[in-house]
Amino acid sequence: KQEVTQIPAALSVPEGENLVLNCSFTDSAIYNLQWFRQDPGKGLTSLLLIQSSQREQTSGRLNASLDKSSGRSTLYIAASQPGDSATYLCAAMNRDDKIIFGKGTRLHILP
Amino acid sequence: NAGVTQTPKFQVLKTGQSMTLQCAQDMNHNSMYWYRQDPGMGLRLIYYSASEGTTDKGEVPNGYNVSRLNKREFSLRLESAAPSQTSVYFCASSRKPTGNSGNTIYFGEGSWLTVV
């Protein structure tokens, strides 16, 4: 049974700092792992997708890594900005197409 | 291209009433999902369907039933609504990207359900 855990549950950092969000999963036989952003009262926006054969993906100030053997993924945000404030969710897609989400990390960037 | 469409967007039910949430996708995806989102709980999988004609339980299936009517449509039914089912419900469909980028899962806009 796949379980996805995100640590920390909430994080506040001053603007300009680099930060790391963590995601762990119990079943390493995943097809891919995806990071999303959700603003209050809104739907989910896809940020980065990492295939099981890959180790990292980058998009602008975002970098996501994947270590299947340890069941971990990290989302690195460089030079954080107030507009980055949101909830960040990771989701693991298993080979049977089941997609399980973590509970998310609520990020607050202090101006 | 509408993507994933779910209805209704808002609904208030009395305890014990039944209702069906409808979902349709026009992207020819094989897999479809129903999630619920509660404060601080992320998205929890209720049921999913990996292909037309199949459905499987997710993390929180109790109190719900689903129907994969055809490849496009996947409905979620509450037979006897309870206050604990007050939540935001998201329908989604997915594909397995073959390249190094792209999205896996596409969401509807959500249905806000209140059971009183």
Side-chain angles (χ1 to χ4, degrees), chain A residues 38-43 85-87:
Chain A
Q38 186 177 31
D39 294 291
K42 303 292 186 181
S85 297
T87 295

Side-chain angles (χ1 to χ4, degrees), chain A residues 21-75:
Chain A
L21 306 181
N22 297 292
C23 173
S24 62
F25 46 94
T26 55
D27 183 355
S28 63
I30 59 170
Y31 188 80
N32 61 46
L33 188 132
Q34 194 161 2
W35 284 91
F36 294 85
R37 168 188 174 134
Q38 186 177 31
D39 294 291
K42 303 292 186 181
L44 277 73
T45 300
S46 175
L47 297 174
L48 288 165
L49 169 73
I50 312 176
Q51 299 282 24
S52 61
S53 59
Q54 298 174 314
R55 294 197 56 89
E56 66 176 351
Q57 281 288 322
T58 298
S59 175
R61 296 183 292 108
L62 304 180
N63 176 277
S65 67
L66 176 64
D67 184 343
K68 278 183 56 180
S69 62
S70 65
R72 292 180 182 178
S73 176
T74 61
L75 179 67

Side-chain angles (χ1 to χ4, degrees), chain B residues 74-85:
Chain B
F74 189 40
S75 62
L76 178 72
R77 183 161 178 84
L78 286 70
E79 291 290 352
S80 179
S84 61
Q85 295 177 304

